[in-house]
């Protein structure tokens, strides 16, 4: 089944948990037990079902790891499945996104319509822009508090639009909602006849899922090469695409071409293998294969370059100085590099540009940088193939930064 991963971001108390709870409840994604349980506790507290409470409750369960299902917040429609990625804080969010722990294809930005754009609205939006997330839905929550007033909505929407345009985000929708009472979340609201756009769920259904990894061109990263008396088996992971016996392949960075002679999976011969699988291959020609090599389709190669533009998120207490040499790891490639230019040094909390053409990066700062590697490496922009579009920087065996490749 097709799956879309998305994040919900926004300033604290603007209604993130309530919206998540509402989406789960209104799509019947919660078990009856859970609803009854929440209803009972809520009654005890003398309140109606509080969706924020529901979410906190799920969170509690998640932390105690009672059931595996609740470690993911997901719901289903007839069309597809949705996974909501949680964002405990913006630092964790950036870390997770960059290290690949979570990958969102879309985002909902929630704004309390009474409060408008606040500090965390800005920070989170900036991160979406940094990650080049193209599909952003803006929801203006708590419309009940302004009497479902259109003029007020329009004014706040204009503010948000102006701010988002300044950081290069063009949202696909602006939706007035009341998460608490379910207006325009799954069902159209009767309180806002002036609004003729989509509901939150409809806007989610209109998102484009990214191309499944196995439909992309072949990328296999080589982890290791095992030498036997009669053959050499190169072992690695099929990151994207498909590989089959007899396929013509190109091996980067040396650009040797050969054909796949055999594929082994769990010590068994197979004819083909798909994205996500770890396999071993032998080739018809005796080519030189080594850890860090990338196997691809001859006409659909990724880039081989020694200079590229990237965003790095520095997460080490010890500053980085521009003169330093540092190790870059991208997929299984590992190479010495230098940062040629730090175009901007940005405080990841305030989003202030601290310095242009800077000479250092400090803890929790974002740098827009140009990286030069000692030898050419195989890369792709992050929004095309994530496995070849993100990297970490390593100093003295410690990972001190994560980065994504822009161009
Ligand atoms: P979060 O911090 O972004 O997860 O925000 P919560 O979902 O915890 O909501 C913060 C507060 O706003 C809670 O007390 C909610 O009950 C309240 N709230 C959420 N949505 C609405 C809404 O649509 N209308 C009103 N009046 N209150 C809401």
């Amino acid at each position: 089944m097709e799956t879309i991963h998305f994040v919900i971001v926004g300033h604290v108390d603007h209604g993130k948990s309530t919206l998540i709870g509402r989406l789960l409840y209104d799509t019947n994604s919660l078990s009856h037990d859970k609803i009854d349980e929440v209803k009972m506790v809520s009654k005890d507290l003398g309140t109606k079902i509080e969706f924020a409470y529901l979410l906190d409750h799920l969170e509690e369960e998640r932390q105690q790891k009672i059931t595996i299902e609740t470690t993911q917040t997901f719901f289903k429609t007839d069309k597809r499945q949705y996974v909501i990625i949680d964002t405990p804080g913006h630092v964790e969010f950036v870390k997770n996104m960059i290290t690949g722990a979570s990958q969102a294809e879309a985002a909902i930005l929630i704004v309390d319509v009474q409060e408008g754009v606040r500090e965390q609205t800005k920070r989170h939006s900036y991160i979406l822009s940094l990650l080049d997330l193209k599909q952003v839905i803006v929801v203006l929550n708590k419309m009940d508090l302004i009497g479902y007033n259109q003029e007020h909505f329009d004014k706040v929407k204009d503010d948000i639009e102006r701010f988002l345009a300044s950081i290069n985000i063009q949202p696909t929708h602006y939706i007035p909602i009341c998460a608490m009472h379910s207006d325009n979340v799954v069902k159209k609201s009767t309180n806002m006849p002036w609004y003729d756009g989509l509901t939150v769920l409809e806007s989610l259904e209109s998102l484009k899922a990214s191309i499944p990894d196995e439909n992309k061109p072949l990328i296999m990263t080589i982890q290791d090469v095992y030498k036997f008396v009669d053959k050499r088996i190169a072992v690695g992971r099929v990151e994207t695409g498909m590989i089959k016996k007899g396929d013509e392949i190109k091996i980067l960075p040396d650009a040797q071409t050969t054909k796949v002679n055999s594929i082994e999976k769990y010590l068994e011969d197979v004819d083909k293998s798909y994205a996500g699988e770890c396999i071993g291959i032998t080739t018809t020609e005796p080519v030189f294969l080594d850890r860090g090599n990338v196997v691809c389709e001859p006409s659909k190669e990724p880039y081989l370059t020694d200079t590229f533009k990237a965003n790095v998120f520095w997460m080490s207490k010890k500053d980085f100085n521009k003169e330093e040499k540092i190790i870059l790891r991208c997929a299984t490639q590992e190479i010495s590099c230098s940062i040629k230019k730090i175009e901007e040094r940005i405080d990841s909390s305030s989003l202030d540009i601290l310095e242009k053409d800077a000479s250092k990066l400090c803890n929790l700062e974002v740098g827009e940088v140009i990286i030069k590697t000692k030898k050419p490496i195989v890369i792709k922009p992050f929004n095309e193939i994530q496995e070849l579009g993100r990297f970490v920087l390593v100093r003295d065996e410690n990972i001190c930064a994560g980065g994504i490749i822009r161009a």
Side-chain angles (χ1 to χ4, degrees), residues 11-19 50 52 141-145 177-181:
H11 194 76
V12 63
D13 279 347
H14 281 199
K16 200 175 88 177
S17 312
T18 309
L19 177 60
E50 262 273 357
N141 190 28
K142 309 196 188 180
M143 286 296 293
D144 55 317
L145 297 181
I177 69 163
C178 167
M180 181 107 102
H181 302 136

Short mmCIF file of all heavy atoms in Angstrom, two decimals, residues 11-19 50 52 141-145 177-181, ligand 1:
data_model
loop_
_atom_site.label_atom_id
_atom_site.label_comp_id
_atom_site.label_asym_id
_atom_site.label_seq_id
_atom_site.Cartn_x
_atom_site.Cartn_y
_atom_site.Cartn_z
N HIS A 11 4.23 26.21 16.44
CA HIS A 11 4.58 26.74 17.75
C HIS A 11 3.85 25.92 18.83
O HIS A 11 2.76 25.42 18.60
CB HIS A 11 4.16 28.21 17.83
CG HIS A 11 4.74 28.93 18.98
ND1 HIS A 11 6.05 29.35 19.00
CD2 HIS A 11 4.21 29.31 20.17
CE1 HIS A 11 6.29 29.97 20.14
NE2 HIS A 11 5.20 29.95 20.88
N VAL A 12 4.47 25.80 19.98
CA VAL A 12 3.87 25.04 21.08
C VAL A 12 2.49 25.61 21.42
O VAL A 12 2.28 26.82 21.37
CB VAL A 12 4.82 25.04 22.32
CG1 VAL A 12 5.03 26.44 22.85
CG2 VAL A 12 4.28 24.14 23.42
N ASP A 13 1.56 24.71 21.69
CA ASP A 13 0.17 25.06 22.05
C ASP A 13 -0.68 25.55 20.89
O ASP A 13 -1.83 25.95 21.09
CB ASP A 13 0.12 26.13 23.16
CG ASP A 13 0.32 25.51 24.53
OD1 ASP A 13 0.24 24.26 24.62
OD2 ASP A 13 0.56 26.25 25.51
N HIS A 14 -0.15 25.52 19.69
CA HIS A 14 -0.98 25.95 18.55
C HIS A 14 -1.93 24.84 18.09
O HIS A 14 -2.80 25.07 17.26
CB HIS A 14 -0.11 26.47 17.41
CG HIS A 14 0.35 27.88 17.65
ND1 HIS A 14 0.80 28.71 16.67
CD2 HIS A 14 0.42 28.60 18.81
CE1 HIS A 14 1.13 29.90 17.18
NE2 HIS A 14 0.91 29.84 18.48
N GLY A 15 -1.74 23.62 18.65
CA GLY A 15 -2.75 22.58 18.41
C GLY A 15 -2.30 21.34 17.67
O GLY A 15 -3.12 20.57 17.16
N LYS A 16 -0.98 21.11 17.67
CA LYS A 16 -0.42 19.96 16.97
C LYS A 16 -1.03 18.64 17.47
O LYS A 16 -1.55 17.85 16.68
CB LYS A 16 1.09 19.96 17.20
CG LYS A 16 1.89 19.20 16.23
CD LYS A 16 3.37 19.39 16.49
CE LYS A 16 3.87 18.38 17.50
NZ LYS A 16 5.31 18.46 17.74
N SER A 17 -0.97 18.41 18.78
CA SER A 17 -1.47 17.15 19.32
C SER A 17 -2.96 17.00 19.10
O SER A 17 -3.45 15.90 18.80
CB SER A 17 -1.21 17.07 20.83
OG SER A 17 0.10 17.41 21.11
N THR A 18 -3.69 18.09 19.24
CA THR A 18 -5.13 18.03 19.05
C THR A 18 -5.45 17.63 17.61
O THR A 18 -6.32 16.79 17.36
CB THR A 18 -5.77 19.39 19.38
OG1 THR A 18 -5.31 19.81 20.66
CG2 THR A 18 -7.29 19.30 19.39
N LEU A 19 -4.72 18.20 16.67
CA LEU A 19 -4.96 17.86 15.25
C LEU A 19 -4.62 16.39 14.98
O LEU A 19 -5.37 15.70 14.29
CB LEU A 19 -4.13 18.78 14.34
CG LEU A 19 -4.24 18.47 12.84
CD1 LEU A 19 -5.68 18.59 12.34
CD2 LEU A 19 -3.32 19.37 12.02
N GLU A 50 -10.53 15.16 25.25
CA GLU A 50 -9.49 16.14 24.90
C GLU A 50 -8.49 15.42 24.01
O GLU A 50 -7.83 14.48 24.42
CB GLU A 50 -8.79 16.60 26.18
CG GLU A 50 -9.31 17.90 26.72
CD GLU A 50 -8.60 19.12 26.10
OE1 GLU A 50 -7.68 18.91 25.29
OE2 GLU A 50 -9.00 20.23 26.45
N ALA A 52 -5.75 16.45 22.78
CA ALA A 52 -4.37 16.65 23.19
C ALA A 52 -4.00 15.59 24.24
O ALA A 52 -2.94 15.01 24.22
CB ALA A 52 -4.18 18.05 23.77
N ASN A 141 -5.47 27.16 12.92
CA ASN A 141 -6.29 26.46 13.91
C ASN A 141 -6.99 27.44 14.87
O ASN A 141 -6.66 28.62 14.93
CB ASN A 141 -5.39 25.51 14.71
CG ASN A 141 -6.17 24.57 15.59
OD1 ASN A 141 -7.33 24.23 15.28
ND2 ASN A 141 -5.59 24.15 16.70
N LYS A 142 -7.95 26.90 15.60
CA LYS A 142 -8.71 27.62 16.63
C LYS A 142 -9.58 28.72 16.03
O LYS A 142 -9.72 29.81 16.59
CB LYS A 142 -7.77 28.19 17.71
CG LYS A 142 -6.80 27.13 18.29
CD LYS A 142 -6.15 27.58 19.58
CE LYS A 142 -5.07 26.60 20.02
NZ LYS A 142 -4.39 26.94 21.25
N MET A 143 -10.15 28.41 14.87
CA MET A 143 -11.04 29.37 14.21
C MET A 143 -12.24 29.71 15.10
O MET A 143 -12.84 30.77 14.97
CB MET A 143 -11.52 28.81 12.86
CG MET A 143 -10.49 28.82 11.75
SD MET A 143 -9.92 30.46 11.24
CE MET A 143 -11.40 31.16 10.51
N ASP A 144 -12.60 28.78 16.01
CA ASP A 144 -13.73 29.04 16.93
C ASP A 144 -13.46 30.27 17.80
O ASP A 144 -14.37 31.01 18.14
CB ASP A 144 -13.98 27.81 17.83
CG ASP A 144 -12.74 27.36 18.59
OD1 ASP A 144 -11.64 27.32 17.98
OD2 ASP A 144 -12.85 27.05 19.80
N LEU A 145 -12.19 30.50 18.11
CA LEU A 145 -11.85 31.61 19.00
C LEU A 145 -12.00 32.98 18.34
O LEU A 145 -12.04 34.00 19.01
CB LEU A 145 -10.42 31.45 19.54
CG LEU A 145 -10.16 30.21 20.41
CD1 LEU A 145 -8.72 30.20 20.88
CD2 LEU A 145 -11.12 30.19 21.61
N ILE A 177 -9.24 25.82 10.28
CA ILE A 177 -9.81 24.67 10.99
C ILE A 177 -10.08 24.98 12.47
O ILE A 177 -9.58 25.98 13.01
CB ILE A 177 -8.87 23.41 10.94
CG1 ILE A 177 -7.61 23.63 11.79
CG2 ILE A 177 -8.50 23.05 9.53
CD1 ILE A 177 -6.88 22.34 12.13
N CYS A 178 -10.87 24.11 13.07
CA CYS A 178 -10.95 24.08 14.52
C CYS A 178 -10.73 22.61 14.86
O CYS A 178 -11.63 21.79 14.70
CB CYS A 178 -12.32 24.58 14.98
SG CYS A 178 -12.63 24.22 16.70
N ALA A 179 -9.51 22.30 15.27
CA ALA A 179 -9.14 20.91 15.52
C ALA A 179 -9.98 20.34 16.66
O ALA A 179 -10.40 19.19 16.64
CB ALA A 179 -7.65 20.81 15.86
N MET A 180 -10.25 21.20 17.62
CA MET A 180 -11.02 20.79 18.78
C MET A 180 -12.40 20.27 18.40
O MET A 180 -12.83 19.23 18.88
CB MET A 180 -11.17 22.00 19.70
CG MET A 180 -11.93 21.71 20.94
SD MET A 180 -10.79 21.68 22.28
CE MET A 180 -11.09 23.25 23.00
N HIS A 181 -13.09 20.98 17.52
CA HIS A 181 -14.45 20.57 17.16
C HIS A 181 -14.52 19.91 15.80
O HIS A 181 -15.60 19.75 15.25
CB HIS A 181 -15.38 21.79 17.20
CG HIS A 181 -15.42 22.46 18.54
ND1 HIS A 181 -15.38 23.82 18.68
CD2 HIS A 181 -15.47 21.94 19.79
CE1 HIS A 181 -15.40 24.12 19.98
NE2 HIS A 181 -15.44 22.99 20.66
P1 LIG B 1 0.49 21.46 20.81
O1 LIG B 1 1.38 21.96 21.88
O2 LIG B 1 0.74 22.19 19.52
O3 LIG B 1 0.48 19.98 20.64
O4 LIG B 1 -0.99 21.92 21.21
P2 LIG B 1 -2.18 21.08 21.85
O5 LIG B 1 -2.80 20.21 20.84
O6 LIG B 1 -1.70 20.47 23.11
O7 LIG B 1 -3.21 22.26 22.15
C1 LIG B 1 -2.92 23.29 23.04
C2 LIG B 1 -4.21 23.79 23.66
O8 LIG B 1 -5.04 24.36 22.66
C3 LIG B 1 -5.01 22.67 24.32
O9 LIG B 1 -5.55 23.13 25.51
C4 LIG B 1 -6.10 22.38 23.32
O10 LIG B 1 -7.26 21.90 23.90
C5 LIG B 1 -6.32 23.76 22.69
N1 LIG B 1 -6.85 23.66 21.32
C6 LIG B 1 -6.40 22.88 20.32
N2 LIG B 1 -7.15 23.05 19.22
C7 LIG B 1 -8.09 23.97 19.51
C8 LIG B 1 -9.16 24.57 18.77
O11 LIG B 1 -9.41 24.28 17.61
N3 LIG B 1 -9.91 25.50 19.45
C9 LIG B 1 -9.67 25.83 20.73
N4 LIG B 1 -10.45 26.74 21.28
N5 LIG B 1 -8.67 25.27 21.46
C10 LIG B 1 -7.88 24.36 20.86
#
